[in-house]
Amino acid sequence: MLIARADDAAGQQRPNVIVILVDDQGYYDLGCYGASEVKTPNIDALAEQGTRFTDYYAAAPICSPSRAGLLTGCYPRRVGNHIWVHRADSQYGLHPDEVTVAELFQSAGYATACIGKWHLGFEKPLLPKYQGFDHYFGLLHNLDPVEVVYFEEQGGVPLMRNEEVVKRPADPAELTKAYTDEAIKFIDQHQESPFFLYLPHTMLHHPLGVGEDFVGSSEWGEYGDAIQEMDHHVGRLMDAVRERQLDERTVVLYLSDNGRGPGRNSEQPIRGRKLSTFEGGIRVPAIAWGPGVGLQTQATSKAVVRAMDWYPTLASLAGIRVPEEVVIDGRDLSPLLQGKTSGVPGPAQKLSLNADVPLRRRWQPDGEWSQRIRRNEYSEAFFYHGSQGALAAVRWRQWKLYLNPSLTLYDLVSDPGESQPVRDGEILQKLRGMSILFQEEMRRDARPAGQADASADSPTRISEDQLRQLNADKDVTYATYGDRTLQMDVYRPKNAWGQLPAIVCIHGGGWQKGSRVHHEKVAQGLASRGYVAATISYRLSDEAAFPAAIQDCKAAVRFLRANASRYGIDSEKIGAIGLSAGGHLTALLASSGGVAELEGDGGHQGHSSRIQAAVPMGAQTDFLSARTREISAHPQRGLIWRKFMGGSLDERSAAYGLASPLQHLDKDDPPCWFIAGQQDDASTHAVAFRQRLDELGIPSGLTVIQDAPHGFVSRQGWFDQMVRQADQFFKKSFEAQD
């Protein structure tokens, strides 16, 4: 791609660009935006020496879409990244054909770096280095509970430098400083040539992390402490710029990726939280600084500005022409930042290098709207999308029109708290027309997201085609203990008739964490091969110690038998599969049929809890072994065991014997096939357990997945091997009963 550059005749050095993107910082959460609970002198100084925006909007009220909008200059919907966030098993992100702002600068000779949270795709070619960044340091993912579960078996979410793991697990309390250290190092390495630094901080996202020096430093708890630490490191970064005499040729943006919460006093009227399209969910702080390159100082702008606008703006400030084939939604703000205009100038004024970029967007209004809406008005409008990706509202000048559940109009200048709907039929019709034109534009011109191939070493996913072939009955209550209920999700192939074998899928997590969603793909993968598959939640050891978990597994089997006609189940062909702690429970379920102490009272007592085949994976089957005695007594490693069993093996030998699958084996038990990762402990091969099965004449076997760790179901290649082996074993075992 050829990038046109407009350096002046004197060959003036092009400005460096630093984009600081803070995660989840609300509109009022800086001193210069009205916060009294924190002190933010360094960020406030950027506002004093630059332009502070009062009506600036992130591209979306949630992480991944917001970042997509900032980096592409497009509404996230235009680039197929508008729905929720990319979890660690996501196979899509920014399409490689999209020209990110980093690629724009990289092609113009800039050194580029992304230092911080990526969250826009985790497989080639979706990673930062394939999207225009020469250097990457940070987290590709979030650290919240719904994301870290994908990394439990690998030791936690890794901190990465390019493709190298720097630390695992990443420590939230270290990240703000670590990112800033890396950013200063990058500046040192490239201070002689122009650079583009994108610095998307992990903070202030949950879970918050605060460095030791800042704990208790604010009057706003951990969140305020994290803000003050952020301010300190912004100050360090700016000191580095000045000390290297780069302040005369550097532009700095300070932005938030979405809102956090509403105002906290009568002077802070905005309402709404992150994920919402109320102003508090998407209107955020934004500061532009660059006095050395001619940007205005001590300015406050009330112009309606969006994250997408930075793309053509930064390009113009760097003298880079946005390529003609690139269609984006951003507008060039450079005249406003330079103090030449008080608002965002229209394309017809031709006041900047990329002023005409908005004219590349489709403009074909039909007769109903052609007389009511002018092209420049449409370009000025901002279209709010919710966290689930749907168009929710439109703003034009001071007016904001909500589209659902009914058309509701607000005047945000007089009523920023959106408390009093107003009546203005002409404005309402204009904004409704804009929303219709926008929907039509996106229908015709939206581009696809990037899709990574499901390679053997990619995160496990179930294809859309497979999922379309399944019926799902979710949140089904299968056991009741007083006020406590337990749920399962049941999957059944749509085009399979008659009674099918059923498989109970039991998640791991050391008996102390996790839920049925962690074996969701196991259930879906088996269901797509012709089974009714149910992934279950069970009582964890924080709630109830042994034997609660195995009693829940037995209750799940009884429930499926009791509801065999409802789900089309062959009640004489029920199996189980589970990994790690779920593998132990699977083996115990297989070997303890008829053990009254383990049955429990979860319901459907008139039905048998016996199963006819089991696939324990990464399972411990001998709870009376020397290994178990040693681990259960270890101060750290034994915590999980002691919590589950109520003490160590020496303290609770009878209970350990009752929990040990090996101790219950008899001739009436079903076939068992074990699956283990090659890198896992040899105890998961269940040698003694399989020898005893052989003595009893019960079929058994072992598959060791080459190169795989304990948590092998997280990678596609290993997962596919597991499903094939389990399917083959279950089919053979059930057919032997006919």
mmCIF file of all heavy atoms in Angstrom, residues 59-96:
data_model
loop_
_atom_site.group_PDB
_atom_site.id
_atom_site.type_symbol
_atom_site.label_atom_id
_atom_site.label_comp_id
_atom_site.label_asym_id
_atom_site.label_seq_id
_atom_site.Cartn_x
_atom_site.Cartn_y
_atom_site.Cartn_z
ATOM 1 N N ALA A 59 -16.312 4.602 20.836
ATOM 2 C CA ALA A 59 -17.032 3.976 19.722
ATOM 3 C C ALA A 59 -18.112 3.024 20.202
ATOM 4 O O ALA A 59 -19.046 2.716 19.456
ATOM 5 C CB ALA A 59 -16.048 3.231 18.818
ATOM 6 N N ALA A 60 -18.011 2.543 21.439
ATOM 7 C CA ALA A 60 -18.969 1.587 21.987
ATOM 8 C C ALA A 60 -18.848 1.612 23.502
ATOM 9 O O ALA A 60 -17.834 2.065 24.044
ATOM 10 C CB ALA A 60 -18.699 0.175 21.446
ATOM 11 N N PRO A 61 -19.854 1.106 24.218
ATOM 12 C CA PRO A 61 -19.787 1.101 25.672
ATOM 13 C C PRO A 61 -19.131 -0.148 26.248
ATOM 14 O O PRO A 61 -19.366 -0.511 27.394
ATOM 15 C CB PRO A 61 -21.268 1.175 26.071
ATOM 16 C CG PRO A 61 -21.975 0.436 24.984
ATOM 17 C CD PRO A 61 -21.193 0.716 23.719
ATOM 18 N N ILE A 62 -18.288 -0.821 25.453
ATOM 19 C CA ILE A 62 -17.639 -2.051 25.889
ATOM 20 C C ILE A 62 -16.321 -2.218 25.130
ATOM 21 O O ILE A 62 -16.152 -1.691 24.021
ATOM 22 C CB ILE A 62 -18.579 -3.259 25.671
ATOM 23 C CG1 ILE A 62 -18.057 -4.511 26.374
ATOM 24 C CG2 ILE A 62 -18.839 -3.493 24.193
ATOM 25 C CD1 ILE A 62 -19.077 -5.651 26.406
ATOM 26 N N CYS A 63 -15.405 -3.004 25.724
ATOM 27 C CA CYS A 63 -13.984 -3.002 25.336
ATOM 28 C C CYS A 63 -13.696 -3.249 23.859
ATOM 29 O O CYS A 63 -13.178 -2.371 23.167
ATOM 30 C CB CYS A 63 -13.237 -4.056 26.150
ATOM 31 S SG CYS A 63 -13.103 -3.693 27.897
ATOM 32 N N SER A 64 -13.927 -4.461 23.369
ATOM 33 C CA SER A 64 -13.439 -4.826 22.041
ATOM 34 C C SER A 64 -14.016 -3.944 20.935
ATOM 35 O O SER A 64 -13.261 -3.448 20.088
ATOM 36 C CB SER A 64 -13.729 -6.305 21.754
ATOM 37 O OG SER A 64 -13.043 -7.138 22.656
ATOM 38 N N PRO A 65 -15.329 -3.732 20.877
ATOM 39 C CA PRO A 65 -15.851 -2.845 19.832
ATOM 40 C C PRO A 65 -15.277 -1.436 19.909
ATOM 41 O O PRO A 65 -15.004 -0.808 18.876
ATOM 42 C CB PRO A 65 -17.360 -2.848 20.082
ATOM 43 C CG PRO A 65 -17.624 -4.144 20.775
ATOM 44 C CD PRO A 65 -16.423 -4.366 21.644
ATOM 45 N N SER A 66 -15.085 -0.935 21.128
ATOM 46 C CA SER A 66 -14.541 0.404 21.289
ATOM 47 C C SER A 66 -13.148 0.495 20.683
ATOM 48 O O SER A 66 -12.804 1.455 19.982
ATOM 49 C CB SER A 66 -14.500 0.771 22.775
ATOM 50 O OG SER A 66 -13.965 2.053 22.958
ATOM 51 N N ARG A 67 -12.314 -0.508 20.924
ATOM 52 C CA ARG A 67 -10.951 -0.518 20.389
ATOM 53 C C ARG A 67 -10.958 -0.659 18.872
ATOM 54 O O ARG A 67 -10.128 -0.062 18.173
ATOM 55 C CB ARG A 67 -10.163 -1.651 21.046
ATOM 56 C CG ARG A 67 -9.860 -1.373 22.487
ATOM 57 C CD ARG A 67 -9.721 -2.626 23.363
ATOM 58 N NE ARG A 67 -10.021 -2.245 24.729
ATOM 59 C CZ ARG A 67 -9.108 -1.748 25.571
ATOM 60 N NH1 ARG A 67 -7.851 -1.634 25.180
ATOM 61 N NH2 ARG A 67 -9.457 -1.380 26.778
ATOM 62 N N ALA A 68 -11.889 -1.471 18.372
ATOM 63 C CA ALA A 68 -12.001 -1.619 16.921
ATOM 64 C C ALA A 68 -12.310 -0.279 16.268
ATOM 65 O O ALA A 68 -11.745 0.080 15.235
ATOM 66 C CB ALA A 68 -13.086 -2.642 16.583
ATOM 67 N N GLY A 69 -13.206 0.497 16.869
ATOM 68 C CA GLY A 69 -13.556 1.796 16.311
ATOM 69 C C GLY A 69 -12.402 2.770 16.329
ATOM 70 O O GLY A 69 -12.171 3.519 15.371
ATOM 71 N N LEU A 70 -11.642 2.776 17.430
ATOM 72 C CA LEU A 70 -10.516 3.690 17.547
ATOM 73 C C LEU A 70 -9.433 3.372 16.518
ATOM 74 O O LEU A 70 -8.890 4.263 15.857
ATOM 75 C CB LEU A 70 -9.939 3.599 18.964
ATOM 76 C CG LEU A 70 -8.694 4.438 19.251
ATOM 77 C CD1 LEU A 70 -8.986 5.924 19.129
ATOM 78 C CD2 LEU A 70 -8.150 4.117 20.632
ATOM 79 N N LEU A 71 -9.117 2.093 16.352
ATOM 80 C CA LEU A 71 -7.989 1.712 15.498
ATOM 81 C C LEU A 71 -8.328 1.729 14.007
ATOM 82 O O LEU A 71 -7.419 1.827 13.179
ATOM 83 C CB LEU A 71 -7.479 0.325 15.897
ATOM 84 C CG LEU A 71 -6.781 0.239 17.259
ATOM 85 C CD1 LEU A 71 -6.306 -1.177 17.524
ATOM 86 C CD2 LEU A 71 -5.607 1.209 17.341
ATOM 87 N N THR A 72 -9.603 1.603 13.669
ATOM 88 C CA THR A 72 -9.966 1.570 12.244
ATOM 89 C C THR A 72 -10.619 2.856 11.753
ATOM 90 O O THR A 72 -10.789 3.032 10.545
ATOM 91 C CB THR A 72 -10.935 0.418 11.946
ATOM 92 O OG1 THR A 72 -12.174 0.650 12.640
ATOM 93 C CG2 THR A 72 -10.350 -0.926 12.352
ATOM 94 N N GLY A 73 -11.004 3.750 12.666
ATOM 95 C CA GLY A 73 -11.723 4.944 12.251
ATOM 96 C C GLY A 73 -13.138 4.657 11.803
ATOM 97 O O GLY A 73 -13.773 5.505 11.163
ATOM 98 N N CYS A 74 -13.647 3.492 12.153
ATOM 99 C CA CYS A 74 -14.970 3.052 11.688
ATOM 100 C C CYS A 74 -15.867 2.705 12.866
ATOM 101 O O CYS A 74 -15.394 2.274 13.929
ATOM 102 C CB CYS A 74 -14.841 1.799 10.812
ATOM 103 S SG CYS A 74 -13.899 2.026 9.309
ATOM 104 N N TYR A 75 -17.172 2.865 12.655
ATOM 105 C CA TYR A 75 -18.084 2.257 13.601
ATOM 106 C C TYR A 75 -17.748 0.771 13.683
ATOM 107 O O TYR A 75 -17.504 0.122 12.644
ATOM 108 C CB TYR A 75 -19.532 2.436 13.149
ATOM 109 C CG TYR A 75 -20.073 3.825 13.404
ATOM 110 C CD1 TYR A 75 -20.163 4.753 12.370
ATOM 111 C CD2 TYR A 75 -20.486 4.205 14.678
ATOM 112 C CE1 TYR A 75 -20.648 6.037 12.601
ATOM 113 C CE2 TYR A 75 -20.976 5.479 14.917
ATOM 114 C CZ TYR A 75 -21.059 6.393 13.890
ATOM 115 O OH TYR A 75 -21.523 7.655 14.130
ATOM 116 N N PRO A 76 -17.704 0.209 14.880
ATOM 117 C CA PRO A 76 -17.376 -1.216 15.004
ATOM 118 C C PRO A 76 -18.254 -2.104 14.126
ATOM 119 O O PRO A 76 -17.806 -3.142 13.631
ATOM 120 C CB PRO A 76 -17.598 -1.492 16.497
ATOM 121 C CG PRO A 76 -17.357 -0.169 17.149
ATOM 122 C CD PRO A 76 -17.865 0.860 16.187
ATOM 123 N N ARG A 77 -19.475 -1.664 13.899
ATOM 124 C CA ARG A 77 -20.388 -2.436 13.065
ATOM 125 C C ARG A 77 -19.913 -2.501 11.615
ATOM 126 O O ARG A 77 -20.115 -3.499 10.928
ATOM 127 C CB ARG A 77 -21.771 -1.801 13.143
ATOM 128 C CG ARG A 77 -22.875 -2.563 12.448
ATOM 129 C CD ARG A 77 -24.182 -1.932 12.840
ATOM 130 N NE ARG A 77 -25.292 -2.386 12.039
ATOM 131 C CZ ARG A 77 -26.511 -1.867 12.108
ATOM 132 N NH1 ARG A 77 -26.751 -0.894 12.971
ATOM 133 N NH2 ARG A 77 -27.484 -2.320 11.350
ATOM 134 N N ARG A 78 -19.259 -1.437 11.157
ATOM 135 C CA ARG A 78 -18.776 -1.429 9.779
ATOM 136 C C ARG A 78 -17.691 -2.487 9.573
ATOM 137 O O ARG A 78 -17.537 -3.029 8.478
ATOM 138 C CB ARG A 78 -18.235 -0.048 9.404
ATOM 139 C CG ARG A 78 -17.844 0.049 7.924
ATOM 140 C CD ARG A 78 -17.227 1.388 7.581
ATOM 141 N NE ARG A 78 -18.167 2.493 7.612
ATOM 142 C CZ ARG A 78 -19.010 2.807 6.629
ATOM 143 N NH1 ARG A 78 -19.058 2.066 5.526
ATOM 144 N NH2 ARG A 78 -19.819 3.843 6.750
ATOM 145 N N VAL A 79 -16.922 -2.782 10.627
ATOM 146 C CA VAL A 79 -15.814 -3.730 10.492
ATOM 147 C C VAL A 79 -16.108 -5.063 11.176
ATOM 148 O O VAL A 79 -15.202 -5.853 11.425
ATOM 149 C CB VAL A 79 -14.501 -3.117 11.023
ATOM 150 C CG1 VAL A 79 -14.073 -1.958 10.146
ATOM 151 C CG2 VAL A 79 -14.624 -2.681 12.477
ATOM 152 N N GLY A 80 -17.397 -5.318 11.464
ATOM 153 C CA GLY A 80 -17.802 -6.627 11.964
ATOM 154 C C GLY A 80 -17.367 -6.951 13.367
ATOM 155 O O GLY A 80 -17.325 -8.123 13.757
ATOM 156 N N ASN A 81 -17.052 -5.937 14.179
ATOM 157 C CA ASN A 81 -16.582 -6.173 15.545
ATOM 158 C C ASN A 81 -17.435 -5.409 16.558
ATOM 159 O O ASN A 81 -16.916 -4.747 17.456
ATOM 160 C CB ASN A 81 -15.121 -5.755 15.679
ATOM 161 C CG ASN A 81 -14.152 -6.791 15.175
ATOM 162 O OD1 ASN A 81 -13.478 -7.472 15.946
ATOM 163 N ND2 ASN A 81 -14.073 -6.929 13.862
ATOM 164 N N HIS A 82 -18.745 -5.499 16.422
ATOM 165 C CA HIS A 82 -19.647 -4.674 17.216
ATOM 166 C C HIS A 82 -20.357 -5.427 18.340
ATOM 167 O O HIS A 82 -21.055 -4.805 19.133
ATOM 168 C CB HIS A 82 -20.694 -4.031 16.313
ATOM 169 C CG HIS A 82 -21.452 -5.005 15.450
ATOM 170 N ND1 HIS A 82 -20.822 -5.790 14.502
ATOM 171 C CD2 HIS A 82 -22.771 -5.313 15.378
ATOM 172 C CE1 HIS A 82 -21.728 -6.531 13.882
ATOM 173 N NE2 HIS A 82 -22.908 -6.264 14.406
ATOM 174 N N ILE A 83 -20.201 -6.748 18.418
ATOM 175 C CA ILE A 83 -20.984 -7.545 19.361
ATOM 176 C C ILE A 83 -20.129 -7.992 20.535
ATOM 177 O O ILE A 83 -19.163 -8.737 20.372
ATOM 178 C CB ILE A 83 -21.601 -8.766 18.671
ATOM 179 C CG1 ILE A 83 -22.512 -8.325 17.525
ATOM 180 C CG2 ILE A 83 -22.375 -9.626 19.662
ATOM 181 C CD1 ILE A 83 -23.028 -9.461 16.673
ATOM 182 N N TRP A 84 -20.439 -7.494 21.723
ATOM 183 C CA TRP A 84 -19.835 -7.900 22.993
ATOM 184 C C TRP A 84 -18.323 -7.805 22.917
ATOM 185 O O TRP A 84 -17.782 -6.912 22.283
ATOM 186 C CB TRP A 84 -20.314 -9.311 23.376
ATOM 187 C CG TRP A 84 -20.234 -9.607 24.853
ATOM 188 C CD1 TRP A 84 -19.535 -10.631 25.441
ATOM 189 C CD2 TRP A 84 -20.866 -8.899 25.934
ATOM 190 N NE1 TRP A 84 -19.694 -10.595 26.809
ATOM 191 C CE2 TRP A 84 -20.496 -9.551 27.148
ATOM 192 C CE3 TRP A 84 -21.677 -7.766 26.001
ATOM 193 C CZ2 TRP A 84 -20.923 -9.108 28.397
ATOM 194 C CZ3 TRP A 84 -22.119 -7.327 27.254
ATOM 195 C CH2 TRP A 84 -21.738 -8.007 28.433
ATOM 196 N N VAL A 85 -17.596 -8.713 23.576
ATOM 197 C CA VAL A 85 -16.133 -8.659 23.587
ATOM 198 C C VAL A 85 -15.565 -9.984 23.096
ATOM 199 O O VAL A 85 -16.256 -10.999 23.061
ATOM 200 C CB VAL A 85 -15.579 -8.360 24.993
ATOM 201 C CG1 VAL A 85 -15.988 -6.983 25.452
ATOM 202 C CG2 VAL A 85 -16.038 -9.411 25.993
ATOM 203 N N HIS A 86 -14.289 -9.961 22.746
ATOM 204 C CA HIS A 86 -13.616 -11.174 22.310
ATOM 205 C C HIS A 86 -13.095 -11.923 23.532
ATOM 206 O O HIS A 86 -12.139 -11.478 24.176
ATOM 207 C CB HIS A 86 -12.456 -10.836 21.382
ATOM 208 C CG HIS A 86 -12.872 -10.143 20.127
ATOM 209 N ND1 HIS A 86 -13.726 -10.715 19.216
ATOM 210 C CD2 HIS A 86 -12.577 -8.921 19.622
ATOM 211 C CE1 HIS A 86 -13.921 -9.882 18.206
ATOM 212 N NE2 HIS A 86 -13.246 -8.777 18.439
ATOM 213 N N ARG A 87 -13.720 -13.046 23.839
ATOM 214 C CA ARG A 87 -13.185 -13.898 24.891
ATOM 215 C C ARG A 87 -12.019 -14.705 24.339
ATOM 216 O O ARG A 87 -11.735 -14.701 23.143
ATOM 217 C CB ARG A 87 -14.283 -14.817 25.444
ATOM 218 C CG ARG A 87 -15.406 -14.070 26.154
ATOM 219 C CD ARG A 87 -14.886 -13.207 27.285
ATOM 220 N NE ARG A 87 -15.960 -12.542 28.017
ATOM 221 C CZ ARG A 87 -15.786 -11.467 28.766
ATOM 222 N NH1 ARG A 87 -14.585 -10.924 28.859
ATOM 223 N NH2 ARG A 87 -16.792 -10.924 29.415
ATOM 224 N N ALA A 88 -11.355 -15.450 25.214
ATOM 225 C CA ALA A 88 -10.116 -16.111 24.815
ATOM 226 C C ALA A 88 -10.326 -17.212 23.785
ATOM 227 O O ALA A 88 -9.371 -17.625 23.127
ATOM 228 C CB ALA A 88 -9.422 -16.687 26.048
ATOM 229 N N ASP A 89 -11.551 -17.693 23.619
ATOM 230 C CA ASP A 89 -11.814 -18.727 22.612
ATOM 231 C C ASP A 89 -12.344 -18.131 21.309
ATOM 232 O O ASP A 89 -12.731 -18.860 20.404
ATOM 233 C CB ASP A 89 -12.799 -19.764 23.141
ATOM 234 C CG ASP A 89 -14.148 -19.169 23.507
ATOM 235 O OD1 ASP A 89 -14.246 -17.928 23.617
ATOM 236 O OD2 ASP A 89 -15.106 -19.945 23.684
ATOM 237 N N SER A 90 -12.340 -16.798 21.214
ATOM 238 C CA SER A 90 -12.847 -16.147 20.008
ATOM 239 C C SER A 90 -11.944 -16.442 18.820
ATOM 240 O O SER A 90 -10.721 -16.421 18.928
ATOM 241 C CB SER A 90 -12.924 -14.635 20.222
ATOM 242 O OG SER A 90 -13.255 -13.970 19.022
ATOM 243 N N GLN A 91 -12.565 -16.690 17.684
ATOM 244 C CA GLN A 91 -11.817 -16.952 16.460
ATOM 245 C C GLN A 91 -11.884 -15.773 15.484
ATOM 246 O O GLN A 91 -11.463 -15.903 14.339
ATOM 247 C CB GLN A 91 -12.368 -18.212 15.781
ATOM 248 C CG GLN A 91 -12.106 -19.491 16.556
ATOM 249 C CD GLN A 91 -10.623 -19.808 16.648
ATOM 250 O OE1 GLN A 91 -9.927 -19.844 15.653
ATOM 251 N NE2 GLN A 91 -10.141 -20.041 17.855
ATOM 252 N N TYR A 92 -12.447 -14.644 15.922
ATOM 253 C CA TYR A 92 -12.517 -13.515 15.015
ATOM 254 C C TYR A 92 -11.987 -12.242 15.675
ATOM 255 O O TYR A 92 -11.811 -12.168 16.887
ATOM 256 C CB TYR A 92 -13.931 -13.319 14.484
ATOM 257 C CG TYR A 92 -14.909 -12.651 15.431
ATOM 258 C CD1 TYR A 92 -15.156 -11.291 15.326
ATOM 259 C CD2 TYR A 92 -15.594 -13.378 16.400
ATOM 260 C CE1 TYR A 92 -16.055 -10.662 16.165
ATOM 261 C CE2 TYR A 92 -16.494 -12.762 17.248
ATOM 262 C CZ TYR A 92 -16.724 -11.402 17.130
ATOM 263 O OH TYR A 92 -17.605 -10.786 17.967
ATOM 264 N N GLY A 93 -11.712 -11.270 14.844
ATOM 265 C CA GLY A 93 -11.190 -9.990 15.292
ATOM 266 C C GLY A 93 -11.173 -9.033 14.120
ATOM 267 O O GLY A 93 -12.003 -9.126 13.211
ATOM 268 N N LEU A 94 -10.226 -8.109 14.112
ATOM 269 C CA LEU A 94 -10.117 -7.178 12.988
ATOM 270 C C LEU A 94 -9.652 -7.919 11.741
ATOM 271 O O LEU A 94 -8.700 -8.701 11.781
ATOM 272 C CB LEU A 94 -9.123 -6.066 13.311
ATOM 273 C CG LEU A 94 -9.547 -5.030 14.348
ATOM 274 C CD1 LEU A 94 -8.460 -3.978 14.488
ATOM 275 C CD2 LEU A 94 -10.870 -4.379 13.971
ATOM 276 N N HIS A 95 -10.323 -7.674 10.631
ATOM 277 C CA HIS A 95 -9.948 -8.331 9.382
ATOM 278 C C HIS A 95 -8.573 -7.836 8.933
ATOM 279 O O HIS A 95 -8.274 -6.639 9.020
ATOM 280 C CB HIS A 95 -10.980 -8.026 8.297
ATOM 281 C CG HIS A 95 -10.939 -8.974 7.150
ATOM 282 N ND1 HIS A 95 -9.915 -8.973 6.224
ATOM 283 C CD2 HIS A 95 -11.788 -9.974 6.776
ATOM 284 C CE1 HIS A 95 -10.122 -9.915 5.336
ATOM 285 N NE2 HIS A 95 -11.254 -10.543 5.646
ATOM 286 N N PRO A 96 -7.721 -8.743 8.457
ATOM 287 C CA PRO A 96 -6.391 -8.315 7.982
ATOM 288 C C PRO A 96 -6.446 -7.275 6.873
ATOM 289 O O PRO A 96 -5.487 -6.519 6.698
ATOM 290 C CB PRO A 96 -5.772 -9.624 7.476
ATOM 291 C CG PRO A 96 -6.495 -10.705 8.199
ATOM 292 C CD PRO A 96 -7.891 -10.201 8.415
#
